Amino acid sequence: MTIRFSPRDMVGLTILAEMYGAPMDVVAEMLGVSLNRAYRITAKWQAAQMISSRRMRPVPGPSWIFPTKAAAEALLGRPVRYWVPTPKMAAHVIAVFRLRLALTGMDLDRWISERALRAQVGMVAAGQARPHIHDGRYLTSGGDLWAVEVELTAKSIAAARTAVRQARHVAQQADCAGLTYYCRGDAVKNVIREAAKGLDLSTGPKLRLMDLDEFLAAKQAESASPAARPGLRVIAGGAADHDTPRGTNRDNGKAVGS
């Protein structure tokens, strides 16, 4: 039996490979379909051996899907490590995935995934520290590159100071216009705000704080409004129709220290 993939199938599978995997409700959100429809679509992906036949629930909720190693390597064009969802990282993967959808929709050209950034760094020699790797970077509608960090729990102040300093340093090396911390709750925001004290923010990338859940809720309400009309566009050079981005760079987060 021949299985035909639409451009949307290929974009969805590529995003899934870039983001490692996702629970079925997030896959449905990405594709803009009901959960039942998402199960039918992913059944086709599984029949074509593009996603693993394993249905894992690392945390309570819908089962997760993730590309096979061979499929991920074909989609991304490079070797990858075998990956399965685990309870420890499930919440973070979901949060970053949903943030990507809110910021850039299904546009493959505007998001650089953590998996891609990790591949750019490559192997680190024994005894050397691995450079900080952002949770993602994205291009705004105006063409500015922003780095993204997602923080769900509060670190110690000492650990946060080190992480913020390194994240901003790497953002500056990558010529990012700014670095936004998307935090879950005031306690996490307060730690990041305290950790940023003492940094020279007069030059280099801007540093902003956003409440993650408030931002996602606002974007969801925006995309559900009658004025929202998501469509498809063709990206030259590949069979990839992409959704019109759900969000532009209307980043209303406060600059740290403001």
Side-chain angles (χ1 to χ4, degrees):
M1 178 180 67
T2 301
I3 299 176
R4 297 183 182 276
F5 283 154
S6 69
R8 183 181 289 267
D9 284 319
M10 295 307 299
V11 172
L13 282 164
T14 301
I15 292 175
L16 198 66
E18 289 178 342
M19 306 303 289
Y20 298 102
M24 284 300 303
D25 57 341
V26 176
V27 175
E29 179 182 338
M30 172 180 68
L31 297 174
V33 300
S34 68
L35 189 59
N36 286 340
R37 176 61 179 158
Y39 274 109
R40 292 196 294 272
I41 292 171
T42 56
K44 179 177 67 173
W45 295 354
Q46 182 181 329
Q49 299 183 352
M50 295 298 290
I51 61 173
S52 173
S53 60
R54 300 176 66 183
R55 288 295 175 267
M56 302 181 66
R57 286 184 172 84
V59 292
S63 60
W64 283 58
I65 65 168
F66 49 97
T68 63
K69 185 175 185 295
E73 290 180 340
L75 290 162
L76 301 180
R78 62 176 181 271
V80 301
R81 290 185 177 182
Y82 178 67
W83 183 92
V84 296
T86 63
K88 184 177 181 180
M89 42 58 62
H92 191 263
V93 170
I94 291 171
V96 177
F97 206 129
R98 283 191 161 132
L99 179 62
R100 172 180 179 162
L101 295 178
L103 288 169
T104 63
M106 289 182 74
D107 192 329
L108 292 175
D109 294 334
R110 291 181 55 209
W111 183 270
I112 305 173
S113 68
E114 182 267 349
R115 198 173 203 177
L117 294 173
R118 190 171 295 277
Q120 289 175 13
V121 171
M123 298 292 293
V124 176
Q128 292 187 358
R130 179 180 291 276
H132 183 89
I133 298 173
H134 295 132
D135 289 326
R137 296 177 192 153
Y138 73 99
L139 286 169
T140 70
S141 57
D144 292 328
L145 182 65
W146 278 72
V148 164
E149 292 291 335
V150 174
E151 297 290 337
L152 304 182
T153 57
K155 295 182 173 73
S156 70
I157 291 296
R161 282 198 183 101
T162 299
V164 171
R165 184 176 66 252
Q166 291 178 346
R168 190 168 181 272
H169 175 69
V170 173
Q172 187 164 14
Q173 288 184 318
D175 293 325
C176 293
L179 164 65
T180 303
Y181 272 84
Y182 292 86
C183 303
R184 177 155 287 163
D186 289 338
V188 181
K189 284 191 289 185
N190 289 339
V191 167
I192 299 301
R193 188 176 290 111
E194 181 67 25
K197 289 181 179 179
L199 290 178
D200 180 6
L201 301 177
S202 61
T203 60
K206 298 175 183 177
L207 185 60
R208 292 180 178 174
L209 287 177
M210 294 281 287
D211 185 286
L212 173 67
D213 296 314
E214 289 180 3
F215 178 78
L216 293 179
K219 287 298 182 181
Q220 185 176 25
E222 179 182 311
S223 65
S225 70
R229 291 291 184 268
L232 291 175
R233 66 186 181 87
V234 177
I235 304 299
D241 286 10
H242 303 255
D243 278 345
T244 299
R246 303 186 200 181
T248 59
N249 189 42
R250 285 177 290 179
D251 191 339
N252 298 318
K254 293 183 178 179
V256 175
S258 64

